C-alpha cells in the first residue's frame, strides 16, 4: 500500500500497523472474543477509493469488500461477486453481484443493497479524484486512460458497465492473467452514489466512522488520533459465519518499550505478542517460554534503502556548505558509489537490531521483487534475475539472491567499487568525505539502532574519511512528512532513507517494477527523490529511461507468461545492478508468542484481502493456550501440503470461468 501499498518502516515491528496483540479474555460476554493490535501510523483518511496507503488499507480492507477475496490458501474466492466469467480472448470480465450484499452505516443499520452500479460509481469517483491507486487500472480498463487525462469527458465510454443491478462488466485493453487479483484493491471497490453525494468532501474523513458505508465483515466504531481504533463484527454480514472475532481494538504505540507485549502476554492480558530479541528482557523470556517462540513466514513486502538522486530540501541536514550538497548529489548519481553502499552495508547486523542474531537472516531480502513471487518454466523469478544479472559484471557472479541470507554484503567488493567511484568523482571536483543525511524516528528504539548499525558498517568498510552517515533523529510526524507523506519531490528531505517498503497489489512482477518508472511511476519520489513524468535530468543520468523501456516492453508481452517474466527479470537485474534501491528485509519472519490458531488467516502474496500477517480479521480464530513451536510447525507442514493441492484444484477450476 505515498500510494498505494507503500509502507512506513515501523519502529520495532517492520509492520505498518505495528505489534500484534490480542486480548485474551476470549469470553467476556457469551463467548465474545476480542482481538487487539497496536498501531504506529494514523491513517490520513478513510477514503479507500483514492488512497492505498497501508495505514488506511489496514482499516478499510476489514470493513469494505470488493468483488473477490482470498482464502487461507491464497486462492481468489467470491466476495461481493458470487460468480464470474471471462471471455475467451481474455478481454471481458463479467461478475454477478450476490443478492444478499448490503450497505450498512457505522451503527449497523441497513442503508441499501450493493448493486453493480456501485462499482461503476466507485471507479468514476476514483478517477475524477485522481486516486493515488489509479495506476493499478488506468492502462488496463478500456478508455480509462483517455478519460483520466481529460481527453474524453464521457465516462460511459470507459470499459465498465452495469448490465443490470446484479451484473458488472469490465472490458480490458489487453489480456491480464492477473486481473482478478486487482479486484481486491480499494480503487475497484464499490460505493453508494446517494451516500457519496450526501457526504461530499467529508466522504472518508479520517476520524469519522460515519463518513463511509460498510459492506464487509466489520464496522468501524471509533477512531481517535494517536489513541485507539475500534471495530465490531457486522451482525448482518452475508458471510458472518466466517467472522469469529467479535471486536477488534487497535491501540497507538510509539514502539519504545519493547518488553511490554511479552509481559502482557505472560500476565494474561494479551493473547499474542511480537517479541524483540534486542530487548533487555528477551534472554530471560527465551528461557521461560522457549517452546512457545515461533517465527512467522516471510511475506512479499520488501523494505528498502532508497537513494535521493535529486534532493531539493535541506531542513534536516548536517551539511554545512553548498559544496557538500553538490558533492553528495554527484556521488549518488555515480553507480559505482551506490554499489559501494550496497556491498558495504552489513544487512545482517542491521536486521539483528530488530530480530536478534538468531533471527536476523530470517527476514533478509536481496531483490525488490521477492525471488519466489512468481514462477515459470520450472524457474522462480530470482533464478531468472540471476541469469540476467551476471552479464552486468564480475561483481554479480557469486551473489545469492535467495531470501533469508545476505547475498549483498561484501566489504572487498565495496572497497573496489568505491575506489572506482572516488577516482571518477574527484575528477569532477567532488570533495570527500561524502555526507549522507539519513532520517529516523527518534522514538523508535530499534529503528534508531538499525540506522546506527548501517552507519557503523558503512563507515568501517569505506572509511569515515570517505563516507559519513549523518543520522537525523526526528519526531515521528516530521519524519513521515519528509518521507512517506511528502506530497512532492521537493518535500523529500534526505539522501538515504529506509523509511518505506512496498507490498504488492496484484500477482505480477509489474506491481513492483512499474512503481519507479520515471515516466509514470507512482513512487519515484518516495524511493528516488524525483517526481515522475517530468523528464527529470537526474533520472536520465542514472539510466532510468533504459529501465522504463525494459518495464514497458515486459508489460507488452501478454500471451507468453515465461517471456513476460523473463523480460521483467531483465528490468529487475538492471535495477539491482543500479543500486538505486537496496532491499533490506521483509515484513514478516518475526518471533511471536500467540494464541492465534495457526494458518486460519486469509493468505496472499498480493492485494488487500489476503495476508500471511494478521491484518485481516475475517477467518481468524483464537485458542485458549499459547501455540507451541511444535504445533506451529505441524500446522505449517499441513497447510503447505493442503495449499499445494488447493492451488492446483483452483487452477483447474479457472477453465470453467472462460466463456
Amino acid at each position: 500500500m505515498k500510494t498505494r501499498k507503500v509502507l512506513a518502516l515501523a519502529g520495532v515491528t517492520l509492520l505498518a500497523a505495528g505489534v500484534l496483540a490480542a486480548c485474551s479474555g476470549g469470553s467476556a460476554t457469551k463467548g465474545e472474543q476480542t482481538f487487539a493490535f497496536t498501531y504506529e501510523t494514523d491513517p490520513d483518511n478513510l477514503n479507500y477509493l483514492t488512497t492505498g496507503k497501508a495505514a488506511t488499507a489496514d482499516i478499510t480492507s476489514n470493513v469494505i469488500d470488493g468483488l473477490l477475496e482470498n482464502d487461507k490458501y491464497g486462492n481468489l474466492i467470491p466476495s461481493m461477486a458470487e460468480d464470474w466469467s471471462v471471455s475467451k480472448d481474455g478481454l471481458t470480465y463479467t461478475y454477478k453481484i450476490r443478492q444478499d450484499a448490503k450497505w450498512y452505516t457505522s451503527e449497523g443499520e441497513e442503508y441499501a443493497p450493493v448493486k453493480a452500479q456501485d462499482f461503476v460509481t466507485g471507479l468514476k469517483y476514483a478517477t475524477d479524484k485522481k486516486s493515488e491507486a489509479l495506476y493499478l487500472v488506468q492502462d488496463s480498463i478500456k478508455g480509462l486512460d483517455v478519460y483520466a487525462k481529460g481527453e474524453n469527458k464521457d465516462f460511459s465510454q470507459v470499459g465498465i458497465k452495469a448490465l443490470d443491478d446484479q451484473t458488472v462488466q469490465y472490458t480490458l485493453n489487453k489480456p491480464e492473467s492477473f486481473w482478478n487479483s486487482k479486484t481486491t484493491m480499494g480503487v475497484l471497490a464499490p460505493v453508494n452514489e446517494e451516500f457519496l453525494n450526501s457526504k461530499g468532501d467529508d466522504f472518508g474523513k479520517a476520524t469519522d466512522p460515519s463518513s463511509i458505508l460498510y459492506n464487509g465483515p466489520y464496522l468501524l466504531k471509533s477512531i481517535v488520533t494517536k489513541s485507539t481504533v475500534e471495530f465490531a463484527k457486522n451482525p448482518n454480514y452475508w458471510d458472518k459465519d466466517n467472522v469469529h472475532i467479535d471486536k477488534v481494538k487497535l491501540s497507538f504505540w510509539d514502539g519504545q518499550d519493547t518488553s511490554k507485549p511479552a509481559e502482557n502476554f505472560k500476565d494474561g492480558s494479551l493473547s499474542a505478542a511480537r517479541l524483540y530479541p534486542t530487548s533487555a528482557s528477551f534472554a530471560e523470556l527465551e528461557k521461560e517460554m522457549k517452546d512457545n517462540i515461533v517465527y512467522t513466514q516471510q511475506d512479499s513486502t520488501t523494505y528498502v534503502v532508497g537513494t535521493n538522486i535529486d534532493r531539493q530540501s535541506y531542513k534536516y541536514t548536517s551539511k554545512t556548505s553548498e559544496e557538500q550538497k553538490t558533492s553528495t548529489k554527484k556521488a549518488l548519481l555515480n553507480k559505482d558509489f551506490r554499489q559501494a553502499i550496497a556491498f558495504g552495508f552489513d544487512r545482517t547486523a542491521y536486521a539483528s537490531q530488530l530480530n536478534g542474531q538468531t533471527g536476523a537472516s530470517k527476514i533478509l531480502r536481496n531483490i525488490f521483487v521477492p525471488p519466489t513471487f512468481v514462477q515459470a518454466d520450472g524457474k522462480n523469478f530470482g533464478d531468472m534475475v540471476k541469469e540476467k544479472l551476471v552479464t552486468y559484471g564480475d561483481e554479480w557472479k557469486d551473489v545469492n539472491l535467495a531470501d533469508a541470507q545476505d547475498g549483498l554484503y561484501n566489504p572487498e567488493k565495496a572497497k573496489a567499487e568505491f575506489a572506482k567511484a572516488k577516482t571518477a568523482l574527484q575528477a569532477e571536483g567532488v570533495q570527500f568525505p561524502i555526507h549522507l543525511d539519513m532520517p529516523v524516528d527518534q522514538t523508535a528504539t530499534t529503528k534508531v539502532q538499525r540506522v546506527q548499525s548501517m552507519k557503523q558498517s558503512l563507515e568501517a568498510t569505506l572509511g569515515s574519511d570517505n563516507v559519513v552517515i549523518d543520522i537525523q533523529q526526528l519526531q515521528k510526524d516530521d519524519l513521515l512528512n519528509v518521507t512517506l507523506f511528502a506530497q512532492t519531490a521537493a518535500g523529500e528531505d534526505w539522501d538515504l532513507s529506509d523509511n518505506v517498503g512496498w507490498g504488492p497489489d496484484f500477482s505480477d512482477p509489474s506491481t513492483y517494477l512499474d512503481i519507479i518508472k520515471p515516466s509514470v511511476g507512482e513512487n519515484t519520489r518516495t524511493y528516488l527523490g524525483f517526481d515522475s513524468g517530468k523528464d527529470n535530468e537526474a533520472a536520465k543520468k542514472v539510466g532510468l529511461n533504459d529501465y522504463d523501456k525494459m518495464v514497458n516492453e515486459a508489460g507488452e508481452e501478454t500471451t507468453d507468461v515465461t517471456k513476460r517474466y523473463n523480460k521483467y527479470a531483465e528490468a529487475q537485474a538492471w535495477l539491482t545492478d543500479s543500486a538505486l534501491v537496496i532491499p533490506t528485509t521483509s515484513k514478516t519472519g518475526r518471533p511471536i508468542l500467540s494464541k492465534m490458531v495457526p494458518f486460519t488467516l486469509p493468505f496472499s502474496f498480493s492485494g488487500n484481502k489476503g495476508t500471511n500477517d494478521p491484518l485481516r480479521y475475517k477467518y481468524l480464530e483464537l485458542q485458549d493456550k499459547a501455540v507451541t513451536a511444535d504445533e506451529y510447525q505441524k500446522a505449517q507442514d499441513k497447510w503447505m501440503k493442503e495449499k499445494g493441492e488447493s492451488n492446483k484444484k483452483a487452477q483447474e477450476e479457472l477453465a470453467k470461468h472462460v466463456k
Side-chain angles (χ1 to χ4, degrees), residues 46 63-64 103-111 195 199 207-215 218-223 230-236:
L46 297 175
V63 302
I64 302 295
W103 288 112
Y104 300 93
T105 68
S106 59
E107 298 302 316
E109 297 175 352
E110 184 176 329
Y111 187 91
F195 181 83
K199 289 297 181 181
T207 58
D208 183 5
S210 68
S211 67
I212 59 174
L213 289 178
Y214 303 79
N215 69 342
Y218 287 91
L219 307 172
L220 180 61
K221 304 306 293 184
S222 70
I223 180 167
E230 298 186 25
F231 303 81
K233 179 178 179 178
N234 183 349
N236 299 306

Side-chain angles (χ1 to χ4, degrees), residues 27-103:
S27 57
T29 52
K30 297 182 181 180
E32 183 177 88
Q33 290 188 315
T34 299
F35 185 78
F37 256 3
T38 62
Y39 74 100
E40 298 181 26
T41 305
D42 283 303
D44 55 358
N45 64 69
L46 297 175
N47 194 331
Y48 55 91
L49 294 164
T50 61
T51 185
K53 294 186 181 76
T56 296
D58 286 342
I59 293 176
T60 58
S61 293
N62 285 297
V63 302
I64 302 295
D65 277 353
L67 292 166
L68 303 175
E69 64 182 40
N70 293 99
D71 66 13
K72 68 177 182 178
Y73 301 116
N75 302 311
L76 285 163
I77 60 175
S79 185
M80 288 294 96
E82 61 183 357
D83 196 11
W84 61 275
S85 64
V86 57
S87 60
K88 291 182 179 180
D89 61 6
L91 296 179
T92 305
Y93 283 75
T94 305
Y95 301 89
K96 287 292 183 180
I97 309 303
R98 62 179 61 256
Q99 295 277 358
D100 52 354
K102 308 288 185 182
W103 288 112

